[in-house]
Amino acid sequence: MVAPATTGLIDREDLLAALDRAAASKVTVISAPAGSGKTSLLRAWADRRGSLAVVQVNRDEHDAQAFWVAVLGAVRRAAAPTGRAEPPVATPEFNARAMVDRVCSELADAGGVTLVIDDLHELNSPEALAQLSGLLTTLPPGVHAILATRRDLRLGLHRLRLAGELAEVRAADLRFTEPETRRLLDAAGIRLSEAGIADLQQRTEGWAAGLRLAVISLLGHPDPERFVAAFSGTDRTVAEYLLAEMLERQSYEVQRLLLRTSLLDRVNGELADLLTGRPGNERILLNLEEANAFVVSLDPDRTWFRYHHLVGDFLRLELRRTLPEEVPTLHRRAAGWFSEHGRVVDAIQHSQAAGDWSTAARLLADHSFGLTLDGQAQTIQALLEAFPPDAWTDSSELAVAHATIDVALGRLDKAAGYLTVAEAHIETTPPDRRRRLRVAVASLKLSLARRRGSVAGVLEQVEFLTSPVTGQPEEDIGRDSDLRAVALMNLGTIEAWSLATPDAERHLLEGAALARENGRPYIEVACLAQLGFASKIRSFATTRRRCQEALALAERYGWGAETILAPALLTLAGVATWMGDFDDGERWLQHTAQALGSDTGPGISLLLHIGTGMVRSGRGRLPEALEEFGAAERLRSQLVGSHALASQVTGWLLATQARLGLTGEARAALTTLDDERASSGEVRNARAAISLADGDPAAALAVVRDVIEGRAPVTGYITIVEAHLLGGRAHRQLGNQRAANQAAESALSLAEPDRVVLPFVMTGAAELLESLPRHETAHAALLRDILDAAHGASLPAEDHPSSAVDGLSPTELKVLRYLPTNLSRPEIAGELSVSVNTVNTHVRNIYAKLQARDRSAAVERARQLGLLGAGRAR
């Protein structure tokens, strides 16, 4: 919300008209020194404009995410002025590209919004400035941006300038003219001669702050003409003179307030009372704001205020000059107030300013975990850099803070080093601090173990962290509750990787519930996204529903492509690919790659390579599939513990080599496997594929028999589907067509509930299925879909709501799937266990709703609508 223009200002119609004209371009830059009137001009302009998204950059802002969250929040408030917009929430793993894309998208949706960024010079994040440059050069049509800054910034806007899409307002444009100076004095009720007005305008050179300070000093002055004649010099000396005059003319109470609160970036009445040692300061602040005395309210309720930057700088200098002995005490009082009111970063900064390094280190260690969850890793880094050099070398507190941001940023080796330092010095810390530090170290080691895929490492830490928290101070319980939620997420994740799926589901659901209770949506979304991956033993419908629930919750908070969503995105890609919808699989994989960004953790990257390899294999692009499975295999070897899909990756890698005729390499690789992996069902299937490629079907049959009969461990039922298909191919090569048909039917029966297609394609079972007599299968519709996929079609895996398909009911959709087959209506009735009359009724309805005259036309129309596979490629 933009505060209204304060009283005592005058309309500067020429400047406002210039801003109106500038709005026709994409970007306007207002670049001028402090006190030039940039903010006042923007406020006056805002009063007559429509939809504005206003961002006030925090002082010395170095956190890119904090800046972008503020930008997105402003855009949402502008788009939904009723206040119903969901505020964006920061995340530990900031995806800048996704955030900028979202800001751009919501600006486009809002339509006609002007984005105003004031005090842009305070943004000290090169990354954020580069991202802002990208946004400004790609603003949606109809969106205008205004940047106000004290100095020119390297934003790379030269292309906009060349294209005539950049308007610029400089210091010279903002200077008051003599007529404007006269109107300013008249508005304040100050009477000055024409010569005096001319002198004042010339000596301030039309500088807005100088004129405003002069007005304050002239109010009630006994000899205004003499006052104007008394000062001269540069802007700086004029400012110092006028500021000193302004301060001198204030009452003792006001001077006491201004000086003692000048060390704050923002102040409210309670805090001002604490620092001045006297009550009643809120009324003084309100009066100063109403008198336009360089006090600005920061919220609609006028409870928080700040001083004009120029005044603030002057007051801080005066405080150090006149009351140097009080400065540390004032900072300590401020630190205590901010700590009690949960403003941890402010508390740490004031502790540092007071030279109270031990308090600052303690606060940072206690809150670095929460700050990371709130997406303030860069803020932690800046706070750490403010400590004296090498302070962390013998401090467990600071070593914990260093390790926290290194874990969050994926610098795992550095994090491990800092944790070693932290553990080494815990015993030298005060006894009342040791438990907290041990908990912090354990939680970080847990996250480290999960990122490295170490099951033993996770289990080692989780027991300590999930111990009861009763009997602790309330503050500790709240913090430990967050730690428990993260511990449950890490434990569930590692269990999912280890095929301990029921336990994984239980722990992830508990973690999500606890995070919801704690008000930590980021952890809740992370748990639900991992839950989707852990749902492999459930039906595809359940798996997909859980993933979509995670994505929907993330969307509520403005997270569309965060790293935490990668497990859900990958699982959706896997489900689509398993069901033969390779187009949809590709789409989800692209979302996953965008979400991962620069995160190169071996666990999640391994899954991305597996998913990509599956799609490539399904499309028959075997050399590319081999490359992806090979990359996955190399990443698997980097994990500390065993991954649930380890044998699957190895099996598919070897089978793909066999299908490409590289049986020698595949057999050589088999000899390097340990007994556990070599005996798995997935590797046995690969061995069968190699034997078939070498023309030895009898050996293939012998290998898959243990898989089919349940004597070989498998990752899931799909491995058994593959075994049946490989066995069927072997029977067919041996001339036993009846056994081949039985194997194909067994595979179809297993695949039918989830309508799994990919194993039939990956095992090269097309000829086996084509030789299966249609009257001998109970899965004719699935069979047709599989053959479509085997011949290059991508099948729609999503369920289609009836409204989207001309009102076809679920039962009519089932009947429709049989129409491309050669089955007669009585045979279809038998498949569906309904009467022939029922099938006849459904067929008539299908023809009517699809506007088809016969069976062939209905099939063709259904394929056009995407209700059936695209048909065999010819």
Side-chain angles (χ1 to χ4, degrees):
M1 178 176 180
V2 180
T6 51
T7 58
L9 297 178
I10 62 169
D11 290 336
R12 304 186 71 187
E13 284 299 331
D14 290 347
L15 277 176
L16 295 174
L19 278 187
D20 285 340
R21 291 192 298 274
S25 58
K26 274 188 177 298
V27 177
T28 297
V29 174
I30 304 175
S31 178
S36 297
K38 301 182 294 297
T39 301
S40 297
L41 175 63
L42 283 174
R43 290 185 171 187
W45 191 71
D47 285 347
R48 48 195 252 172
R49 297 293 294 189
S51 183
L52 294 181
V54 181
V55 180
Q56 179 81 43
V57 180
N58 292 327
R59 187 166 187 166
D60 195 24
E61 180 63 81
H62 43 255
D63 195 315
Q65 181 171 202
F67 170 73
W68 284 110
V69 165
V71 172
L72 183 58
V75 172
R76 289 185 172 180
R77 288 191 296 275
T82 56
R84 294 178 180 175
E86 192 79 39
V89 179
T91 64
E93 298 167 340
F94 178 48
N95 188 327
R97 179 179 173 183
M99 174 62 96
V100 175
D101 288 347
R102 178 167 288 274
V103 169
C104 194
S105 172
E106 297 201 14
L107 277 171
D109 292 343
V113 168
T114 297
L115 174 63
V116 179
I117 302 178
D118 197 7
D119 285 342
L120 185 58
H121 57 274
E122 296 286 1
L123 183 59
N124 290 319
S125 166
E127 298 84 3
L129 286 171
Q131 294 148 11
L132 178 61
S133 299
L135 174 69
L136 294 173
T137 53
T138 57
L139 283 175
V143 175
H144 179 61
I146 299 179
L147 314 177
T149 173
R150 289 188 187 181
R151 61 180 185 277
D152 287 347
L153 301 170
R154 300 183 65 179
L155 289 171
L157 301 180
H158 54 284
R159 291 182 180 173
L160 290 178
R161 185 179 287 111
L162 290 174
E165 293 286 356
L166 178 66
E168 297 174 85
V169 178
R170 299 285 175 180
D173 302 313
L174 294 170
R175 287 176 183 152
F176 274 60
T177 63
E178 195 171 310
E180 287 176 326
T181 303
R182 183 181 300 107
R183 286 199 289 123
L184 180 68
L185 293 169
D186 289 345
I190 297 171
R191 296 290 175 261
L192 207 59
S193 67
E194 288 299 316
I197 293 172
D199 276 351
L200 181 62
Q201 197 276 335
Q202 290 172 10
R203 291 181 178 184
T204 59
E205 297 183 357
W207 182 42
L211 287 168
R212 290 176 63 191
L213 286 165
V215 165
I216 293 173
S217 299
L218 284 166
L219 283 170
H221 197 286
D223 190 350
E225 300 289 343
R226 184 169 60 81
F227 174 84
V228 172
F231 68 85
S232 63
T234 64
D235 280 359
R236 180 175 176 180
T237 56
V238 167
E240 290 177 354
Y241 176 87
L242 292 174
L243 284 165
E245 282 287 321
M246 181 274 291
L247 189 61
E248 182 69 23
R249 296 181 66 81
Q250 305 301 323
S251 67
Y252 172 76
E253 288 75 15
V254 173
Q255 288 187 31
R256 184 180 180 85
L257 165 68
L258 294 176
L259 287 175
R260 285 168 174 76
T261 58
S262 63
L263 45 71
L264 303 170
D265 289 338
R266 53 178 57 195
V267 61
N268 63 15
E270 182 180 339
L271 192 49
D273 290 349
L274 177 68
L275 266 60
T276 60
R278 300 186 178 192
N281 286 286
E282 184 174 36
R283 185 67 258 168
I284 297 176
L285 289 166
L286 288 167
N287 289 340
L288 289 172
E289 189 214 11
E290 289 164 0
N292 188 25
F294 298 95
V295 175
V296 181
S297 62
L298 299 175
D299 58 310
D301 296 331
R302 300 172 69 203
T303 57
W304 283 94
F305 305 86
R306 73 167 174 84
Y307 304 141
H308 187 286
H309 296 313
L310 194 67
V311 175
D313 292 343
F314 170 77
L315 293 173
R316 280 187 285 276
L317 184 63
E318 280 295 291
L319 177 65
R320 290 202 304 273
R321 188 176 65 81
T322 59
L323 301 169
E325 71 285 356
E326 291 192 28
V327 172
T329 301
L330 292 172
H331 277 298
R332 287 193 186 91
R333 288 181 184 175
W337 190 91
F338 282 122
S339 180
E340 289 175 7
H341 290 78
R343 300 175 66 97
V344 178
V345 174
D346 289 315
I348 295 171
Q349 288 173 331
H350 282 287
S351 295
Q352 291 176 325
D356 195 350
W357 301 109
S358 61
T359 300
R362 177 178 55 77
L363 285 170
L364 187 54
D366 286 351
H367 295 280
S368 56
F369 183 75
L371 289 172
T372 304
L373 290 178
D374 291 335
Q376 298 192 60
Q378 290 172 297
T379 299
I380 298 175
Q381 182 69 54
L383 291 170
L384 284 168
E385 291 171 357
F387 281 89
D390 301 328
W392 66 270
T393 54
D394 60 353
S395 167
S396 290
E397 318 269 19
L398 294 186
V400 163
H402 274 288
T404 301
I405 57 171
D406 284 334
V407 168
L409 298 177
R411 302 186 298 233
L412 305 188
D413 290 340
K414 286 187 67 177
Y418 281 119
L419 288 176
T420 301
V421 173
E423 286 187 297
H425 294 282
I426 282 180
E427 293 304 322
T428 64
T429 58
D432 63 331
R433 297 286 304 155
R434 293 174 190 167
R435 183 188 179 281
R436 275 195 163 207
L437 287 170
R438 289 195 180 97
V439 169
V441 169
S443 66
L444 289 167
K445 292 176 78 172
L446 175 62
S447 294
L448 201 59
R450 194 263 298 172
R451 295 287 294 266
R452 287 177 163 166
S454 172
V455 179
V458 168
L459 295 177
E460 182 183 351
Q461 306 301 328
V462 79
E463 184 177 354
F464 174 67
L465 287 171
T466 54
S467 61
V469 295
T470 54
Q472 300 174 59
E474 186 175 341
E475 183 183 0
D476 278 5
I477 291 173
R479 189 177 67 103
D480 287 356
S481 189
D482 284 344
L483 291 175
R484 288 191 61 173
V486 173
L488 288 165
M489 178 193 73
N490 285 323
L491 179 60
T493 300
I494 210 74
E495 287 169 339
W497 288 6
S498 307
L499 285 181
T501 309
D503 287 340
E505 288 183 322
R506 178 167 57 84
H507 287 131
L508 289 169
L509 285 169
E510 289 177 7
L514 187 55
R516 194 179 312 116
E517 184 180 325
N518 295 345
R520 290 290 189 186
Y522 180 84
I523 303 175
E524 182 183 359
V525 170
C527 286
L528 294 178
Q530 292 287 357
L531 183 64
F533 177 73
S535 304
K536 296 184 294 293
I537 59 171
R538 306 297 176 191
S539 68
F540 281 177
T542 298
T543 300
R544 193 160 51 199
R545 176 177 54 76
R546 285 179 166 176
C547 291
Q548 289 169 340
E549 286 173 353
L551 298 184
L553 182 60
E555 183 67 23
R556 278 180 49 195
Y557 293 99
W559 308 329
E562 307 301 321
T563 303
I564 55 167
L565 295 175
L569 296 170
L570 274 168
T571 304
L572 287 170
V575 169
T577 306
W578 282 121
M579 299 178 73
D581 190 346
F582 306 129
D583 292 344
D584 207 37
E586 290 265 23
R587 183 171 65 84
W588 286 117
L589 287 173
Q590 289 171 2
H591 286 318
T592 306
Q594 184 181 2
L596 286 177
S598 59
D599 190 311
T600 55
I604 199 72
S605 296
L606 179 147
L607 295 175
L608 182 58
H609 282 295
I610 293 175
T612 306
M614 289 167 62
V615 172
R616 300 290 182 271
S617 186
R619 292 192 185 282
R621 291 150 59 175
L622 296 183
E624 295 174 32
L626 182 63
E627 188 175 333
E628 296 293 338
F629 291 142
E633 180 73 3
R634 289 189 291 277
L635 286 171
R636 184 203 57 76
S637 67
Q638 296 177 21
L639 296 176
V640 176
S642 176
H643 193 282
L645 300 179
S647 59
Q648 188 80 81
V649 173
T650 304
W652 281 341
L653 174 65
L654 300 179
T656 305
Q657 287 177 327
R659 292 184 67 189
L660 287 168
L662 305 173
T663 55
E665 293 181 23
R667 288 189 182 280
L670 280 172
T671 63
T672 66
L673 301 179
D674 57 45
D675 291 343
E676 181 181 358
R677 199 136 43 101
S679 63
S680 68
E682 292 72 27
V683 172
R684 286 175 182 273
N685 284 351
R687 198 184 294 275
I690 296 168
S691 296
L692 287 171
D694 283 342
D696 188 357
L701 267 182
V703 171
V704 299
R705 189 168 293 120
D706 284 345
V707 183
I708 294 170
E709 295 177 359
R711 291 189 291 275
V714 297
T715 57
Y717 76 91
I718 288 176
T719 302
I720 302 174
V721 173
E722 291 179 340
H724 280 297
L725 295 171
L726 292 164
R729 287 184 56 199
H731 284 304
R732 196 160 183 272
Q733 287 186 25
L734 290 169
N736 187 348
Q737 187 61 44
R738 182 177 179 184
N741 291 346
Q742 290 174 343
E745 188 65 7
S746 297
L748 287 167
S749 296
L750 285 171
E752 179 71 58
D754 282 328
R755 300 198 58 74
V756 174
V757 169
L758 185 66
F760 297 86
V761 182
M762 290 184 71
T763 55
E767 291 184 1
L768 173 69
L769 298 182
E770 285 172 341
S771 66
L772 180 65
R774 297 300 180 263
H775 64 277
E776 290 187 14
T777 178
H779 312 283
L782 175 61
L783 176 60
R784 173 54 56 186
D785 285 349
I786 292 170
L787 289 175
D788 282 349
H791 289 86
S794 179
L795 308 176
E798 298 286 348
D799 296 331
H800 296 278
S802 59
S803 59
V805 294
D806 294 326
L808 288 183
S809 69
T811 308
E812 289 164 353
L813 282 171
K814 287 183 181 178
V815 173
L816 174 66
R817 293 179 57 237
Y818 285 89
L819 297 189
T821 71
N822 294 325
L823 296 183
S824 64
R825 292 189 184 188
E827 288 171 329
I828 294 174
E831 292 289 337
L832 296 175
S833 300
V834 297
S835 70
V836 176
N837 286 337
T838 299
V839 170
N840 287 336
T841 300
H842 288 317
V843 170
R844 283 196 300 273
N845 292 339
I846 291 169
Y847 287 2
K849 292 176 180 179
L850 297 183
Q851 298 180 343
R853 290 176 301 176
D854 53 30
R855 187 165 177 165
S856 298
V859 169
E860 182 178 356
R861 177 62 180 154
R863 284 180 169 154
Q864 290 173 350
L865 292 172
L867 305 178
L868 295 172
R872 183 180 302 189
R874 298 183 188 281

